[in-house]
Amino acid sequence: MAPPLVKKKSKKKTKKKTNNFKKHKQNVTTIVPVEPKTTEIDWWLSFCHKNSTAPGYNVPGDEEHGFKYFFRMSKTTFEYICSLVREDLISRPPSGLINIEGRLLSVEKQVAIALRRLASGESQVSVGASFGVGQSTVSQVTWRFIEALEERARHHLNWPDFDRIQQIKSGFEVSFGLPNCCGVIDATHILMTLPAVQTSDDWCDQEKNYSMLLQGIVDHEMRFIDIVTGLPGGMAFSRLLKCSSFFRLSEKGERLNGDDLSLGGGDVIREYVVGGYSYPLLPWLMTPYETNNGLSDSQSTFNHNHRDARLHAVKAFTLLKGSWKILSKVMWRPDKMKLPSIILTCCLLHNIIIDCGDTLDPDLALSDHHDSGYQEQRCKQVDPSGWTMRENLAKYFQHVMQLDVHD
Amino acid sequence: MHLIQNLEFIRQDQTKPVTHTPSHDWLDRLRSRKGFPTSQHLDLGSFLLTNTNTISLHTRPDNTNPTRTRTHTHGSILAQLFNGASFIRTHPYKKCPRKQPHPTKVHPTSSPSPASSTTTAATDPGIFPSNITVAVPEEEREQEEAEAVGFDDDDEYNDLKGFSKSEVTVIDTSSSAWKAVKFVYRKQNIWKLRDRKRKSRLLAKKESNNTHMAIEIGFSKENVINMGGERPTQLV
């Protein structure tokens, strides 16, 4: 912690600048020297030494795996993330992050603290103790990191361009036999407690928990290509979908508007995503057939492939919540206006790990379903064009089955 | 003060020789009304002592000191005699707590009582008690949902009467801004999402002026370089 003198000086500086340029404070750089490069290794050695034998941890022996155990990524990916946020983390440092010599915590240590907080979901006090810093430092560092990453890493979470969509469609066809499929949609509850004054039925979900929703569309490599979060847990998934820009764009034909796949006889399969029973059947959103009326072989095949694709999304959400445990633990009275940024950051980190070629550790996935304890709320809305589109997909599977018989 | 005066009066009254004069009629009437003997040679002291046991039944069981009990009893009788029962408390006084010892939880948005809330729910569709969940048939719910496609930001706000309102930060990666503060309106199963109203023109103008000023002065991240542990140098 900084001595009071340094604190005062820095506070004064920041305040003055804030008054002058309220809206452009992000452009104002407070001049504080950063810890020299040599300490970048020191923090890891010190952290490793302190925590590798701590009770409750099962840290792998070698350093590389040990690093991944704590931070969910390789050192290379870690360095990449540091490079993304470096500029933001050294500018405008709050006084709490300046040490006794007047130097700012190294960017690497700041990133490590924030990652550890998100990965472990442990309290700020515990995370602070593992790094030898205070609770308020963890709080400030984590929030600065989140703000920086959500600005600097946007390119890791966006709707794919034409070329990428072709890869995704090809991936879904190879892995799940679904032609022209662009993704799988699913949603999950992020649980929290709320102070009595903030409790509202809006945030109280079907299982009487307070929660915030996260809707994600996942590609064939378990990367999130679209997310919506921040809306209350009391909403049904179908309503959440309708509140999303993805829904609006798809309805207007500005999304999932690529080439159709012709089946002959005028039947076509357009681009679509698949989703569970919680979603309406729409021309661009395929839900499974209800099984209680008896299914034809082609419909059964469709349902089978559809289920495998949905499980793929379930796996992605399970890995997300398992790797970034802050999302799977019940958050204690979070700021509901800030929580969406935390959720987004975890999704960005999930994607960065995949984009950097790191493997998502399957052991980190939650042992249960990502939304365990929640019943699937069935949506009975059926759009006639969606029904026709699903029939066309069933016809496609019938055709494929006939080809298999002939072969 | 009144009490002391009354006690003094009694003491004087007891010491005075009782004579059968018309002035004592009122006292006799009072005595007889309260069940006291009205004879001329009345020994009030012995009368009170003999009646202690009967009267002490009204005292609290935890009041075990006999002397104290007696004193209280006498006081009580005297008070009853001259001032009525309400003036002096006969029992050790325990102050009633100002707050309820076990207050019942009242939800800020709920109606005052469960009974009234049920009635309200049944009669007034505008106010819905938050502690009651209504099972809406699926078809009806879907119909409501279909009617309430609430993401049209240009809709009027006057159709939101009876809706609860929550401010939320929505992150939507398919929208151009990603992050936006919105209002969620809810009435039972009807949800509507609205953008927060835009700032006034005056505010926008002020902000615009500030922007120009900052640009003119030239503070930005781009023109500051950091020299590794040294103080960063500003490039003008």
Side-chain angles (χ1 to χ4, degrees), chain A residues 196-251:
Chain A
V197 286
Q198 288 181 28
T199 54
S200 153
D201 270 6
D202 296 352
W203 296 95
C204 189
D205 59 36
Q206 64 196 77
E207 297 301 326
K208 307 293 172 216
N209 299 316
Y210 291 112
S211 62
M212 185 176 278
L213 295 174
L214 164 65
Q215 175 188 283
I217 300 171
V218 177
D219 73 6
H220 66 296
E221 289 174 327
M222 284 198 278
R223 189 187 283 103
F224 288 95
I225 53 176
D226 179 88
I227 70 156
V228 180
T229 188
L231 289 165
M235 259 185 195
F237 287 176
S238 56
R239 167 59 41 198
L240 174 65
L241 169 71
K242 287 172 186 176
C243 289
S244 67
S245 297
F246 172 74
F247 178 87
R248 187 164 46 83
L249 293 169
S250 301
E251 285 288 288

Short mmCIF file of all heavy atoms in Angstrom, two decimals, chain A residues 196-251:
data_model
loop_
_atom_site.label_atom_id
_atom_site.label_comp_id
_atom_site.label_asym_id
_atom_site.label_seq_id
_atom_site.Cartn_x
_atom_site.Cartn_y
_atom_site.Cartn_z
N ALA A 196 -31.71 -6.84 0.76
CA ALA A 196 -33.17 -6.82 0.86
C ALA A 196 -33.79 -5.65 0.10
O ALA A 196 -34.85 -5.80 -0.50
CB ALA A 196 -33.57 -6.77 2.32
N VAL A 197 -33.11 -4.52 0.08
CA VAL A 197 -33.69 -3.35 -0.57
C VAL A 197 -33.72 -3.48 -2.09
O VAL A 197 -34.46 -2.79 -2.77
CB VAL A 197 -32.93 -2.06 -0.21
CG1 VAL A 197 -33.24 -1.63 1.20
CG2 VAL A 197 -31.44 -2.21 -0.43
N GLN A 198 -32.86 -4.38 -2.62
CA GLN A 198 -32.80 -4.51 -4.08
C GLN A 198 -33.59 -5.69 -4.61
O GLN A 198 -33.64 -5.93 -5.80
CB GLN A 198 -31.35 -4.66 -4.54
CG GLN A 198 -30.56 -3.38 -4.43
CD GLN A 198 -29.13 -3.58 -4.92
OE1 GLN A 198 -28.86 -4.42 -5.76
NE2 GLN A 198 -28.22 -2.82 -4.37
N THR A 199 -34.14 -6.50 -3.69
CA THR A 199 -34.80 -7.71 -4.16
C THR A 199 -36.04 -7.31 -4.96
O THR A 199 -36.75 -6.39 -4.64
CB THR A 199 -35.21 -8.62 -3.00
OG1 THR A 199 -35.99 -7.84 -2.10
CG2 THR A 199 -34.02 -9.20 -2.30
N SER A 200 -36.25 -8.06 -6.00
CA SER A 200 -37.40 -7.81 -6.85
C SER A 200 -37.76 -9.12 -7.52
O SER A 200 -36.89 -9.95 -7.78
CB SER A 200 -37.03 -6.75 -7.88
OG SER A 200 -37.80 -6.88 -9.02
N ASP A 201 -39.03 -9.28 -7.81
CA ASP A 201 -39.45 -10.51 -8.47
C ASP A 201 -38.84 -10.66 -9.85
O ASP A 201 -38.73 -11.75 -10.38
CB ASP A 201 -40.98 -10.53 -8.59
CG ASP A 201 -41.61 -11.18 -7.37
OD1 ASP A 201 -40.86 -11.49 -6.43
OD2 ASP A 201 -42.83 -11.37 -7.37
N ASP A 202 -38.43 -9.55 -10.43
CA ASP A 202 -37.82 -9.61 -11.75
C ASP A 202 -36.56 -10.47 -11.74
O ASP A 202 -36.28 -11.21 -12.67
CB ASP A 202 -37.43 -8.21 -12.23
CG ASP A 202 -38.65 -7.32 -12.40
OD1 ASP A 202 -39.77 -7.84 -12.30
OD2 ASP A 202 -38.46 -6.11 -12.63
N TRP A 203 -35.81 -10.34 -10.66
CA TRP A 203 -34.54 -11.07 -10.57
C TRP A 203 -34.72 -12.46 -10.00
O TRP A 203 -33.79 -13.26 -10.00
CB TRP A 203 -33.53 -10.27 -9.73
CG TRP A 203 -33.20 -8.96 -10.38
CD1 TRP A 203 -33.78 -7.76 -10.14
CD2 TRP A 203 -32.27 -8.74 -11.44
NE1 TRP A 203 -33.26 -6.80 -10.97
CE2 TRP A 203 -32.32 -7.36 -11.78
CE3 TRP A 203 -31.37 -9.55 -12.14
CZ2 TRP A 203 -31.54 -6.79 -12.78
CZ3 TRP A 203 -30.58 -8.98 -13.14
CH2 TRP A 203 -30.66 -7.63 -13.45
N CYS A 204 -35.90 -12.73 -9.47
CA CYS A 204 -36.16 -14.04 -8.87
C CYS A 204 -36.60 -14.99 -9.98
O CYS A 204 -37.58 -14.74 -10.67
CB CYS A 204 -37.25 -13.89 -7.81
SG CYS A 204 -37.47 -15.39 -6.85
N ASP A 205 -35.84 -16.07 -10.17
CA ASP A 205 -36.12 -16.95 -11.29
C ASP A 205 -37.10 -18.06 -10.91
O ASP A 205 -37.63 -18.08 -9.80
CB ASP A 205 -34.81 -17.51 -11.87
CG ASP A 205 -34.01 -18.29 -10.84
OD1 ASP A 205 -34.62 -18.97 -10.01
OD2 ASP A 205 -32.76 -18.21 -10.86
N GLN A 206 -37.27 -19.00 -11.82
CA GLN A 206 -38.25 -20.08 -11.62
C GLN A 206 -37.93 -20.95 -10.42
O GLN A 206 -38.82 -21.56 -9.84
CB GLN A 206 -38.31 -20.94 -12.89
CG GLN A 206 -36.99 -21.65 -13.17
CD GLN A 206 -36.88 -22.18 -14.59
OE1 GLN A 206 -36.65 -21.45 -15.52
NE2 GLN A 206 -37.07 -23.47 -14.73
N GLU A 207 -36.66 -21.02 -10.05
CA GLU A 207 -36.26 -21.85 -8.90
C GLU A 207 -36.10 -21.02 -7.63
O GLU A 207 -35.45 -21.44 -6.68
CB GLU A 207 -34.95 -22.59 -9.22
CG GLU A 207 -35.05 -23.56 -10.37
CD GLU A 207 -36.08 -24.67 -10.16
OE1 GLU A 207 -36.25 -25.09 -9.01
OE2 GLU A 207 -36.71 -25.08 -11.16
N LYS A 208 -36.65 -19.83 -7.66
CA LYS A 208 -36.64 -18.92 -6.51
C LYS A 208 -35.23 -18.49 -6.10
O LYS A 208 -34.95 -18.25 -4.93
CB LYS A 208 -37.37 -19.54 -5.29
CG LYS A 208 -38.77 -20.04 -5.59
CD LYS A 208 -39.72 -18.90 -5.91
CE LYS A 208 -41.07 -19.41 -6.39
NZ LYS A 208 -41.66 -18.57 -7.44
N ASN A 209 -34.34 -18.46 -7.07
CA ASN A 209 -33.01 -17.88 -6.84
C ASN A 209 -32.96 -16.52 -7.51
O ASN A 209 -33.66 -16.29 -8.49
CB ASN A 209 -31.92 -18.75 -7.49
CG ASN A 209 -31.88 -20.15 -6.94
OD1 ASN A 209 -31.96 -20.35 -5.74
ND2 ASN A 209 -31.76 -21.12 -7.82
N TYR A 210 -32.11 -15.66 -7.01
CA TYR A 210 -31.86 -14.41 -7.71
C TYR A 210 -30.77 -14.69 -8.74
O TYR A 210 -29.74 -15.26 -8.39
CB TYR A 210 -31.42 -13.31 -6.74
CG TYR A 210 -32.55 -12.88 -5.83
CD1 TYR A 210 -32.52 -13.15 -4.47
CD2 TYR A 210 -33.65 -12.23 -6.34
CE1 TYR A 210 -33.57 -12.78 -3.64
CE2 TYR A 210 -34.70 -11.85 -5.52
CZ TYR A 210 -34.65 -12.13 -4.18
OH TYR A 210 -35.70 -11.76 -3.38
N SER A 211 -31.03 -14.30 -9.95
CA SER A 211 -30.05 -14.62 -10.99
C SER A 211 -30.10 -13.64 -12.15
O SER A 211 -31.08 -12.92 -12.33
CB SER A 211 -30.27 -16.04 -11.51
OG SER A 211 -31.53 -16.16 -12.10
N MET A 212 -29.01 -13.66 -12.90
CA MET A 212 -28.91 -12.89 -14.14
C MET A 212 -28.71 -13.89 -15.27
O MET A 212 -28.06 -14.91 -15.08
CB MET A 212 -27.70 -11.94 -14.05
CG MET A 212 -27.56 -11.02 -15.22
SD MET A 212 -26.20 -9.87 -14.98
CE MET A 212 -26.98 -8.64 -13.96
N LEU A 213 -29.26 -13.59 -16.43
CA LEU A 213 -29.20 -14.56 -17.53
C LEU A 213 -28.02 -14.29 -18.45
O LEU A 213 -27.61 -13.15 -18.64
CB LEU A 213 -30.49 -14.49 -18.34
CG LEU A 213 -31.77 -14.91 -17.61
CD1 LEU A 213 -32.98 -14.65 -18.50
CD2 LEU A 213 -31.72 -16.37 -17.20
N LEU A 214 -27.51 -15.37 -18.99
CA LEU A 214 -26.50 -15.28 -20.05
C LEU A 214 -26.96 -16.16 -21.21
O LEU A 214 -27.16 -17.36 -21.03
CB LEU A 214 -25.13 -15.76 -19.54
CG LEU A 214 -24.09 -16.07 -20.61
CD1 LEU A 214 -23.68 -14.82 -21.39
CD2 LEU A 214 -22.84 -16.72 -19.99
N GLN A 215 -27.17 -15.55 -22.34
CA GLN A 215 -27.50 -16.32 -23.55
C GLN A 215 -26.28 -16.32 -24.46
O GLN A 215 -25.65 -15.27 -24.64
CB GLN A 215 -28.67 -15.66 -24.27
CG GLN A 215 -29.01 -16.31 -25.62
CD GLN A 215 -30.05 -15.50 -26.37
OE1 GLN A 215 -31.23 -15.54 -26.06
NE2 GLN A 215 -29.60 -14.74 -27.37
N GLY A 216 -25.95 -17.47 -24.97
CA GLY A 216 -24.77 -17.55 -25.84
C GLY A 216 -25.03 -18.42 -27.05
O GLY A 216 -25.77 -19.40 -26.97
N ILE A 217 -24.44 -18.04 -28.16
CA ILE A 217 -24.46 -18.90 -29.35
C ILE A 217 -23.04 -19.40 -29.55
O ILE A 217 -22.09 -18.62 -29.52
CB ILE A 217 -24.96 -18.13 -30.59
CG1 ILE A 217 -26.39 -17.63 -30.33
CG2 ILE A 217 -24.93 -19.02 -31.83
CD1 ILE A 217 -26.92 -16.68 -31.38
N VAL A 218 -22.93 -20.71 -29.68
CA VAL A 218 -21.63 -21.37 -29.66
C VAL A 218 -21.34 -21.95 -31.03
O VAL A 218 -22.24 -22.50 -31.67
CB VAL A 218 -21.65 -22.49 -28.58
CG1 VAL A 218 -20.37 -23.27 -28.56
CG2 VAL A 218 -21.95 -21.91 -27.21
N ASP A 219 -20.09 -21.82 -31.47
CA ASP A 219 -19.74 -22.42 -32.77
C ASP A 219 -19.23 -23.85 -32.58
O ASP A 219 -19.24 -24.37 -31.45
CB ASP A 219 -18.76 -21.52 -33.54
CG ASP A 219 -17.35 -21.55 -32.96
OD1 ASP A 219 -17.09 -22.34 -32.03
OD2 ASP A 219 -16.50 -20.75 -33.42
N HIS A 220 -18.79 -24.45 -33.65
CA HIS A 220 -18.39 -25.87 -33.59
C HIS A 220 -17.14 -26.09 -32.75
O HIS A 220 -16.84 -27.23 -32.39
CB HIS A 220 -18.18 -26.39 -35.02
CG HIS A 220 -17.02 -25.76 -35.71
ND1 HIS A 220 -16.99 -24.41 -36.02
CD2 HIS A 220 -15.84 -26.27 -36.15
CE1 HIS A 220 -15.85 -24.12 -36.63
NE2 HIS A 220 -15.13 -25.23 -36.71
N GLU A 221 -16.41 -25.02 -32.45
CA GLU A 221 -15.20 -25.16 -31.61
C GLU A 221 -15.43 -24.67 -30.19
O GLU A 221 -14.48 -24.37 -29.46
CB GLU A 221 -14.04 -24.38 -32.26
CG GLU A 221 -13.55 -25.04 -33.53
CD GLU A 221 -12.50 -24.21 -34.26
OE1 GLU A 221 -12.59 -22.96 -34.21
OE2 GLU A 221 -11.62 -24.82 -34.88
N MET A 222 -16.70 -24.54 -29.82
CA MET A 222 -17.11 -24.11 -28.47
C MET A 222 -16.75 -22.66 -28.18
O MET A 222 -16.60 -22.26 -27.04
CB MET A 222 -16.54 -25.03 -27.38
CG MET A 222 -17.29 -26.33 -27.32
SD MET A 222 -17.04 -27.21 -25.82
CE MET A 222 -15.52 -28.01 -26.13
N ARG A 223 -16.58 -21.91 -29.24
CA ARG A 223 -16.31 -20.48 -29.09
C ARG A 223 -17.66 -19.75 -29.04
O ARG A 223 -18.58 -20.11 -29.78
CB ARG A 223 -15.49 -20.00 -30.29
CG ARG A 223 -14.95 -18.60 -30.18
CD ARG A 223 -14.30 -18.16 -31.47
NE ARG A 223 -12.97 -18.73 -31.67
CZ ARG A 223 -12.69 -19.73 -32.48
NH1 ARG A 223 -13.64 -20.29 -33.21
NH2 ARG A 223 -11.47 -20.17 -32.61
N PHE A 224 -17.77 -18.75 -28.20
CA PHE A 224 -19.00 -17.95 -28.17
C PHE A 224 -18.94 -16.93 -29.31
O PHE A 224 -17.98 -16.16 -29.40
CB PHE A 224 -19.14 -17.22 -26.83
CG PHE A 224 -19.49 -18.16 -25.69
CD1 PHE A 224 -18.50 -18.68 -24.88
CD2 PHE A 224 -20.81 -18.52 -25.47
CE1 PHE A 224 -18.81 -19.56 -23.86
CE2 PHE A 224 -21.13 -19.40 -24.44
CZ PHE A 224 -20.13 -19.92 -23.63
N ILE A 225 -19.97 -16.96 -30.16
CA ILE A 225 -19.97 -16.02 -31.29
C ILE A 225 -21.01 -14.92 -31.09
O ILE A 225 -21.06 -13.97 -31.85
CB ILE A 225 -20.18 -16.74 -32.65
CG1 ILE A 225 -21.43 -17.62 -32.63
CG2 ILE A 225 -18.95 -17.53 -33.03
CD1 ILE A 225 -21.74 -18.28 -33.97
N ASP A 226 -21.81 -15.06 -30.07
CA ASP A 226 -22.79 -14.01 -29.74
C ASP A 226 -23.24 -14.24 -28.30
O ASP A 226 -23.52 -15.38 -27.92
CB ASP A 226 -24.00 -14.10 -30.68
CG ASP A 226 -25.05 -13.05 -30.36
OD1 ASP A 226 -24.95 -11.94 -30.90
OD2 ASP A 226 -25.95 -13.34 -29.54
N ILE A 227 -23.27 -13.16 -27.53
CA ILE A 227 -23.82 -13.31 -26.18
C ILE A 227 -24.74 -12.12 -25.85
O ILE A 227 -24.59 -11.03 -26.41
CB ILE A 227 -22.74 -13.44 -25.07
CG1 ILE A 227 -21.97 -12.14 -24.85
CG2 ILE A 227 -21.81 -14.59 -25.31
CD1 ILE A 227 -21.36 -12.02 -23.47
N VAL A 228 -25.66 -12.40 -24.98
CA VAL A 228 -26.50 -11.34 -24.38
C VAL A 228 -26.53 -11.62 -22.89
O VAL A 228 -26.78 -12.76 -22.47
CB VAL A 228 -27.95 -11.38 -24.92
CG1 VAL A 228 -28.78 -10.29 -24.28
CG2 VAL A 228 -27.98 -11.24 -26.41
N THR A 229 -26.28 -10.60 -22.11
CA THR A 229 -26.36 -10.78 -20.66
C THR A 229 -26.78 -9.47 -20.00
O THR A 229 -26.76 -8.42 -20.62
CB THR A 229 -25.01 -11.29 -20.09
OG1 THR A 229 -25.20 -11.62 -18.72
CG2 THR A 229 -23.90 -10.26 -20.21
N GLY A 230 -27.19 -9.61 -18.74
CA GLY A 230 -27.60 -8.42 -17.97
C GLY A 230 -29.08 -8.42 -17.66
O GLY A 230 -29.53 -7.64 -16.83
N LEU A 231 -29.83 -9.30 -18.31
CA LEU A 231 -31.29 -9.30 -18.09
C LEU A 231 -31.65 -10.21 -16.91
O LEU A 231 -30.93 -11.17 -16.61
CB LEU A 231 -32.01 -9.70 -19.37
CG LEU A 231 -31.93 -8.61 -20.44
CD1 LEU A 231 -32.30 -9.13 -21.80
CD2 LEU A 231 -32.81 -7.42 -20.07
N PRO A 232 -32.75 -9.90 -16.25
CA PRO A 232 -33.08 -10.61 -15.00
C PRO A 232 -33.45 -12.07 -15.19
O PRO A 232 -34.02 -12.46 -16.21
CB PRO A 232 -34.29 -9.83 -14.47
CG PRO A 232 -34.41 -8.61 -15.27
CD PRO A 232 -33.73 -8.85 -16.57
N GLY A 233 -33.13 -12.85 -14.16
CA GLY A 233 -33.38 -14.29 -14.18
C GLY A 233 -34.84 -14.68 -14.23
O GLY A 233 -35.17 -15.82 -14.53
N GLY A 234 -35.72 -13.73 -13.93
CA GLY A 234 -37.15 -14.04 -13.97
C GLY A 234 -37.68 -14.23 -15.39
O GLY A 234 -38.76 -14.77 -15.59
N MET A 235 -36.92 -13.82 -16.36
CA MET A 235 -37.33 -13.97 -17.76
C MET A 235 -37.19 -15.40 -18.23
O MET A 235 -36.25 -16.09 -17.85
CB MET A 235 -36.38 -13.14 -18.65
CG MET A 235 -36.91 -11.84 -19.10
SD MET A 235 -35.76 -11.09 -20.24
CE MET A 235 -36.42 -9.45 -20.23
N ALA A 236 -38.10 -15.81 -19.10
CA ALA A 236 -37.94 -17.12 -19.75
C ALA A 236 -36.88 -16.98 -20.85
O ALA A 236 -36.65 -15.88 -21.35
CB ALA A 236 -39.27 -17.55 -20.35
N PHE A 237 -36.25 -18.10 -21.21
CA PHE A 237 -35.21 -18.06 -22.24
C PHE A 237 -35.76 -17.53 -23.57
O PHE A 237 -35.07 -16.85 -24.32
CB PHE A 237 -34.60 -19.44 -22.44
CG PHE A 237 -33.69 -19.89 -21.33
CD1 PHE A 237 -33.12 -21.16 -21.34
CD2 PHE A 237 -33.40 -19.05 -20.25
CE1 PHE A 237 -32.28 -21.57 -20.32
CE2 PHE A 237 -32.57 -19.46 -19.22
CZ PHE A 237 -32.00 -20.73 -19.25
N SER A 238 -37.02 -17.90 -23.85
CA SER A 238 -37.62 -17.46 -25.11
C SER A 238 -37.77 -15.94 -25.13
O SER A 238 -37.59 -15.30 -26.16
CB SER A 238 -38.98 -18.13 -25.32
OG SER A 238 -39.82 -17.85 -24.22
N ARG A 239 -38.11 -15.38 -23.97
CA ARG A 239 -38.24 -13.91 -23.87
C ARG A 239 -36.87 -13.24 -23.99
O ARG A 239 -36.72 -12.22 -24.65
CB ARG A 239 -38.93 -13.59 -22.55
CG ARG A 239 -38.91 -12.16 -22.09
CD ARG A 239 -39.53 -11.15 -22.99
NE ARG A 239 -40.77 -11.54 -23.63
CZ ARG A 239 -41.27 -10.93 -24.71
NH1 ARG A 239 -40.61 -9.92 -25.24
NH2 ARG A 239 -42.38 -11.33 -25.26
N LEU A 240 -35.87 -13.87 -23.36
CA LEU A 240 -34.50 -13.35 -23.45
C LEU A 240 -34.05 -13.28 -24.90
O LEU A 240 -33.47 -12.29 -25.35
CB LEU A 240 -33.56 -14.24 -22.63
CG LEU A 240 -32.07 -13.96 -22.70
CD1 LEU A 240 -31.72 -12.60 -22.11
CD2 LEU A 240 -31.27 -15.05 -21.97
N LEU A 241 -34.36 -14.34 -25.63
CA LEU A 241 -34.01 -14.37 -27.06
C LEU A 241 -34.65 -13.20 -27.78
O LEU A 241 -34.01 -12.51 -28.58
CB LEU A 241 -34.48 -15.70 -27.67
CG LEU A 241 -34.42 -15.80 -29.20
CD1 LEU A 241 -32.98 -15.88 -29.68
CD2 LEU A 241 -35.21 -16.99 -29.71
N LYS A 242 -35.95 -12.98 -27.47
CA LYS A 242 -36.67 -11.91 -28.18
C LYS A 242 -36.16 -10.52 -27.83
O LYS A 242 -36.40 -9.57 -28.55
CB LYS A 242 -38.17 -12.03 -27.89
CG LYS A 242 -38.79 -13.21 -28.61
CD LYS A 242 -40.20 -13.47 -28.18
CE LYS A 242 -40.71 -14.74 -28.84
NZ LYS A 242 -42.05 -15.10 -28.39
N CYS A 243 -35.48 -10.42 -26.71
CA CYS A 243 -34.90 -9.13 -26.32
C CYS A 243 -33.54 -8.89 -26.96
O CYS A 243 -32.94 -7.84 -26.79
CB CYS A 243 -34.75 -9.06 -24.79
SG CYS A 243 -36.31 -8.90 -23.95
N SER A 244 -33.03 -9.91 -27.65
CA SER A 244 -31.65 -9.79 -28.16
C SER A 244 -31.61 -9.18 -29.55
O SER A 244 -32.55 -9.30 -30.33
CB SER A 244 -30.99 -11.17 -28.19
OG SER A 244 -31.61 -11.99 -29.14
N SER A 245 -30.50 -8.55 -29.85
CA SER A 245 -30.30 -8.00 -31.19
C SER A 245 -30.18 -9.12 -32.22
O SER A 245 -30.54 -8.94 -33.38
CB SER A 245 -29.03 -7.15 -31.22
OG SER A 245 -29.17 -6.08 -30.36
N PHE A 246 -29.68 -10.25 -31.78
CA PHE A 246 -29.56 -11.40 -32.67
C PHE A 246 -30.94 -11.77 -33.23
O PHE A 246 -31.09 -12.03 -34.43
CB PHE A 246 -28.94 -12.59 -31.91
CG PHE A 246 -28.96 -13.87 -32.68
CD1 PHE A 246 -28.08 -14.07 -33.72
CD2 PHE A 246 -29.85 -14.88 -32.36
CE1 PHE A 246 -28.09 -15.27 -34.44
CE2 PHE A 246 -29.88 -16.06 -33.07
CZ PHE A 246 -29.00 -16.25 -34.11
N PHE A 247 -31.94 -11.79 -32.35
CA PHE A 247 -33.31 -12.10 -32.77
C PHE A 247 -33.80 -11.06 -33.79
O PHE A 247 -34.33 -11.40 -34.85
CB PHE A 247 -34.22 -12.12 -31.54
CG PHE A 247 -35.67 -12.38 -31.85
CD1 PHE A 247 -36.16 -13.67 -31.93
CD2 PHE A 247 -36.55 -11.33 -32.05
CE1 PHE A 247 -37.50 -13.91 -32.22
CE2 PHE A 247 -37.89 -11.56 -32.34
CZ PHE A 247 -38.37 -12.86 -32.42
N ARG A 248 -33.59 -9.79 -33.45
CA ARG A 248 -34.07 -8.71 -34.30
C ARG A 248 -33.43 -8.77 -35.70
O ARG A 248 -34.11 -8.69 -36.71
CB ARG A 248 -33.76 -7.37 -33.63
CG ARG A 248 -34.36 -6.16 -34.30
CD ARG A 248 -34.35 -4.95 -33.38
NE ARG A 248 -33.06 -4.76 -32.70
CZ ARG A 248 -32.02 -4.15 -33.23
NH1 ARG A 248 -32.11 -3.63 -34.42
NH2 ARG A 248 -30.89 -4.03 -32.55
N LEU A 249 -32.11 -9.00 -35.68
CA LEU A 249 -31.40 -9.06 -36.96
C LEU A 249 -31.83 -10.28 -37.78
O LEU A 249 -32.00 -10.19 -38.99
CB LEU A 249 -29.88 -9.10 -36.71
CG LEU A 249 -29.27 -7.82 -36.13
CD1 LEU A 249 -27.83 -8.06 -35.69
CD2 LEU A 249 -29.32 -6.69 -37.15
N SER A 250 -32.01 -11.39 -37.09
CA SER A 250 -32.41 -12.61 -37.80
C SER A 250 -33.82 -12.47 -38.36
O SER A 250 -34.10 -12.92 -39.49
CB SER A 250 -32.35 -13.81 -36.86
OG SER A 250 -31.05 -13.96 -36.34
N GLU A 251 -34.71 -11.87 -37.61
CA GLU A 251 -36.09 -11.67 -38.09
C GLU A 251 -36.12 -10.73 -39.29
O GLU A 251 -36.94 -10.89 -40.18
CB GLU A 251 -36.95 -11.08 -36.96
CG GLU A 251 -37.33 -12.08 -35.88
CD GLU A 251 -38.37 -13.10 -36.36
OE1 GLU A 251 -39.52 -12.71 -36.54
OE2 GLU A 251 -37.99 -14.27 -36.59
#
